[in-house]
Amino acid sequence: MSPKKRKQRKPRHPARPEAAAPTGPRPRASRTPVVVQDPPDRRITALWVLLTLLWALGTPLALANLLFTTMDVQDAAHLADGPQDTTAAVDAVGDALVWLLVLALAVPAAAALAAALLRRKIAAIGFTAALAVSAVPLLWLMPPAELADALTAHLLG
């Protein structure tokens, strides 16, 4: 052993037993039981997973549906020789827009509200963030006034 390590070691037993400080009785450990909370209900966890998958998978699919429907309407308009009835095409675009709004805005808003009512703080924060992630680009591309006009035109005739 090196001399440095030999100097750093303390003796295991005190050299003089009378120099050791007398210790009193040890304080007793607290014997209060620890309360372990029950695990969260699996049905609520399954609800959060279902709503998350519905938002995360449904929003891009609804956006793709809106895009492809709009492209089909444009292609049909270019291929048509004369005036045609566009009611069915406009209805298809309106339906795709409604699905996009439901999956991108209504699902995370309802989930955030449910999480807040059930006092699930982390889920409420997560679904509020999901709502913001969906709403900001959507409302930036299509302002709320134009969106409301498109919805009223589709739903009311």
Side-chain angles (χ1 to χ4, degrees):
M1 184 178 293
S2 71
K4 288 183 182 178
K5 288 184 180 177
R6 193 174 303 143
K7 289 180 184 177
Q8 288 179 357
R9 282 193 173 181
K10 294 180 181 178
R12 290 188 182 193
H13 301 288
R16 295 176 290 169
E18 63 273 1
T23 58
R26 290 185 180 171
R28 296 189 91 185
S30 175
R31 299 281 180 186
T32 57
V34 176
V35 177
V36 178
Q37 295 179 355
D38 291 334
D41 191 7
R42 291 182 187 205
R43 292 175 293 182
I44 292 176
T45 305
L47 174 68
W48 299 148
V49 169
L50 178 72
L51 289 172
T52 302
L53 288 175
L54 187 63
W55 170 77
L57 297 176
T59 300
L61 290 174
L63 187 61
N65 183 29
L66 178 64
L67 177 69
F68 293 138
T69 305
T70 306
M71 288 171 50
D72 287 344
V73 169
Q74 287 177 347
D75 287 343
H78 286 306
L79 294 176
D81 292 334
Q84 62 180 13
D85 185 28
T86 59
T87 308
V90 172
D91 283 343
V93 172
D95 289 341
L97 179 64
V98 169
W99 275 110
L100 176 66
L101 293 177
V102 165
L103 292 172
L105 300 178
V107 168
L113 182 64
L117 291 176
L118 292 173
R119 297 181 186 162
R120 303 289 194 246
K121 190 175 184 179
I122 299 298
I125 291 170
F127 283 115
T128 304
L131 178 63
V133 164
S134 295
V136 168
L138 184 67
L139 296 177
W140 184 40
L141 292 175
M142 188 171 201
E146 291 179 15
L147 191 61
D149 290 342
L151 282 176
T152 51
H154 174 66
L155 296 175
L156 299 179

